[in-house]
Amino acid sequence: MQVEEYHGDKTLSISRRHIVPNGSTTNDDFDASYQTYRNTSYNASSYGPEKALPVPITQDVKPNPLRRLGKKSFWTSKKVWPRITYVVTALVIVIIWVKIMLTFAEQEVKAQQRNRNLGGEKGQRRADFEMYMKGTLKKFDPIERALTVSWGLTYLAQDNSTLLPMGDTLGTNFSFAIYRDVKVVNDDRAIAADLASVFESYNISTTDRLRIDNVTQPPIAVLGQHPFDSVDTSIDFQQAVEENPWKQPLFGYPFDVWTGSIVFAAVDKDFADISNLSNSWAFGIDGAVLSDSTLNWRITLTSNNTCLFEGEFEGCELHIDFRGKRPDLVRFAAMLAVVVNWLSTFGIFVLTCEAAIMGRLHILTETDILGVCFTALFALPSVRVILPGAPDFGAIIDLIGIIPNIIIISICTTMMAISKVMMRKPKAE
């Protein structure tokens, strides 16, 4: 902004005949009165003694800088309590959020502890030597519906709580052939007399032997020689609850529930080779435990050693059942995204109705509501992309919290665009 400033007095332009005092018309009286007026000019009475009139000065007048909000003015302001309120509210929200996340983390730890629980198996356990299959979760592919687990053989230590890998000491290294998805039956094949005497010399009975139902079935691995021996398996998963769309795999995200199973049987490979009977000398594995975890999934297992069932022979295999579902953290995030989407949609819908239907034109003129609608039209679907473990588009959460929101916002965008086009300028313009 440019202004011109003059320093000095500025006399008033008044006709001389109007300043003659007491009605005098003499020149002397006039001159004296006029001179007195000049000496008491506007500038002298308002700003001090007269100064010589300089050349006009042109200078830039800058706006006053914003006043900095200091510590003193912050706490002594009349609006200090609203400030304290929103600061405390923000801190409470952060504390609640951190507490919720810590709770979910503790739940994940407890779930892993339950998978390592040795008391979760059905039936009884042998007292002399207990052997367990220890699985390590590696990957769950919901598209392929397959869980990849790495298995190793372990045995229960003397403290009855610690599992040690087979082959870690000289007395625990064995050659056990592991078979998958097979049936164990009685072995009625006879052993040669000379070989039977060898087993009897070590007090090993050759009667009531078990074998794999398919004597030509190759094992998936031979474990027990070294502590690092392991084998990877891919386990097919399927829908756990039939005729329930909320628990249907992928479609019921984040409430879908999966299930899968695998059967293991073990054979003492050294005894089978000595007796020259393939897949013979089968025995049962006491149980199974699961370690580690998979991101955005909670996998649990239950195991059942059919060798320990009393009564009619039911085989001698280890049956392991898996159950997979989304952890509570994933469900919480998905439901929170749906709530946020609907709150945003409701806000845009109210603004649109107030502006286009109720005729509140200041919303159209003073608010870029059309830009808000266009932004929300692309922002809401992007929220779904960042959901943890979200499947391909088409899940039930899309039918509830994404597709209707896009439709409503698209209608609002069209209404606001038409209102902008049909809005007329005021007559004053």
Side-chain angles (χ1 to χ4, degrees):
M1 179 174 62
Q2 303 290 331
V3 298
E4 293 185 355
E5 185 179 47
Y6 291 90
H7 299 283
D9 62 343
K10 181 178 181 181
T11 57
L12 298 176
S13 297
I14 303 176
S15 178
R16 296 179 65 173
R17 59 187 176 89
H18 292 295
I19 61 175
V20 178
N22 300 325
S24 176
T25 56
T26 62
N27 291 334
D28 294 336
D29 294 335
F30 174 92
D31 293 337
S33 299
Y34 184 74
Q35 188 63 33
T36 302
Y37 170 75
R38 282 183 56 87
N39 292 336
T40 58
S41 63
Y42 173 80
N43 188 67
S45 63
S46 302
Y47 299 98
E50 292 184 13
K51 295 182 180 179
L53 183 64
V55 179
I57 300 173
T58 302
Q59 61 181 9
D60 295 332
V61 179
K62 298 181 179 179
N64 292 330
L66 297 176
R67 187 178 66 175
R68 179 176 298 178
L69 185 62
K71 183 184 299 184
K72 183 177 181 181
S73 60
F74 183 89
W75 295 109
T76 58
S77 174
K78 296 181 180 180
K79 297 182 179 180
V80 62
W81 285 111
R83 289 194 179 102
I84 294 177
T85 302
Y86 72 68
V87 170
V88 172
T89 303
L91 291 177
V92 170
I93 292 175
V94 172
I95 293 173
I96 293 176
W97 182 264
V98 172
K99 179 61 177 177
I100 293 174
M101 295 301 106
L102 292 178
T103 302
F104 289 145
E106 292 176 359
Q107 290 181 355
E108 187 65 28
V109 173
K110 292 180 181 179
Q112 295 183 21
Q113 292 175 350
R114 287 192 295 268
N115 282 337
R116 294 193 297 267
N117 183 18
L118 301 179
E121 294 77 30
K122 300 178 182 179
Q124 303 174 356
R125 280 185 267 142
R126 293 181 298 179
D128 52 351
F129 186 79
E130 297 181 3
M131 187 171 63
Y132 291 84
M133 293 289 290
K134 182 178 181 180
T136 301
L137 294 172
K138 298 185 68 175
K139 180 184 178 182
F140 178 65
D141 189 349
I143 304 300
E144 298 293 334
R145 299 192 176 191
L147 174 67
T148 302
V149 183
S150 179
W151 298 96
L153 275 178
T154 60
Y155 67 95
L156 188 61
Q158 296 296 326
D159 58 1
N160 292 328
S161 61
T162 305
L163 290 177
L164 301 176
M166 295 283 292
D168 62 338
T169 61
L170 185 61
T172 60
N173 55 340
F174 302 96
S175 295
F176 293 146
I178 305 300
Y179 296 80
R180 173 183 175 176
D181 298 333
V182 293
K183 182 70 175 177
V184 175
V185 297
N186 291 316
D187 191 0
D188 54 0
R189 294 175 296 177
I191 300 179
D194 55 342
L195 297 178
S197 61
V198 174
F199 285 104
E200 292 175 356
S201 63
Y202 289 96
N203 296 323
I204 300 175
S205 175
T206 58
T207 60
D208 298 330
R209 288 177 292 104
L210 302 175
R211 65 173 176 86
I212 306 300
D213 57 347
N214 185 359
V215 295
T216 61
Q217 175 76 24
I220 60 173
V222 177
L223 306 178
Q225 278 288 339
H226 311 94
F228 49 81
D229 291 342
S230 64
V231 57
D232 293 346
T233 60
S234 179
I235 304 165
D236 295 333
F237 269 49
Q238 59 186 359
Q239 184 174 354
V241 182
E242 299 291 340
E243 299 180 358
N244 189 343
W246 292 99
K247 295 185 178 182
Q248 184 176 347
L250 296 182
F251 179 75
Y253 173 88
F255 303 103
D256 46 342
V257 181
W258 307 62
T259 185
S261 63
I262 192 172
V263 178
F264 285 120
V267 167
D268 192 325
K269 188 173 182 300
D270 294 333
F271 282 12
D273 293 341
I274 293 173
S275 60
N276 198 23
L277 295 175
S278 61
N279 294 349
S280 185
W281 298 93
F283 63 94
I285 304 174
D286 290 275
V289 294
L290 202 59
S291 64
D292 214 329
S293 62
T294 53
L295 183 63
N296 301 326
W297 290 96
R298 180 170 294 170
I299 308 296
T300 58
L301 66 76
T302 55
S303 60
N304 175 22
N305 181 13
T306 58
C307 290
L308 303 179
F309 281 176
E310 298 179 356
E312 186 177 356
F313 180 71
E314 296 290 344
C316 195
E317 311 93 17
L318 177 64
H319 294 255
I320 303 176
D321 297 322
F322 294 90
R323 189 176 181 87
K325 65 177 184 178
R326 314 277 180 171
D328 293 337
L329 176 60
V330 174
R331 296 182 177 183
F332 172 77
M335 292 297 99
L336 184 62
V338 171
V339 172
V340 171
N341 279 1
W342 273 112
L343 287 177
S344 303
T345 303
F346 180 76
I348 294 174
F349 178 77
V350 170
L351 287 176
T352 303
C353 293
E354 289 292 325
I357 299 177
M358 303 303 296
R360 303 182 67 177
L361 297 181
H362 69 278
I363 298 179
L364 292 173
T365 57
E366 299 177 4
T367 306
D368 191 11
I369 184 62
L370 186 60
V372 173
C373 292
F374 270 110
T375 303
L377 194 60
F378 297 96
L380 294 186
S382 64
V383 174
R384 185 198 180 280
V385 178
I386 64 176
L387 291 180
D392 293 337
F393 198 85
I396 196 171
I397 192 175
D398 302 322
L399 305 178
I400 295 176
I402 301 296
I403 296 178
N405 301 77
I406 295 177
I407 294 174
I408 294 174
I409 294 177
S410 299
I411 296 174
C412 293
T413 304
T414 304
M415 294 176 61
M416 295 306 299
I418 295 175
S419 300
K420 284 278 189 179
V421 171
M422 298 181 64
M423 186 175 60
R424 298 179 180 180
K425 294 183 179 180
K427 295 182 180 180
E429 298 183 6

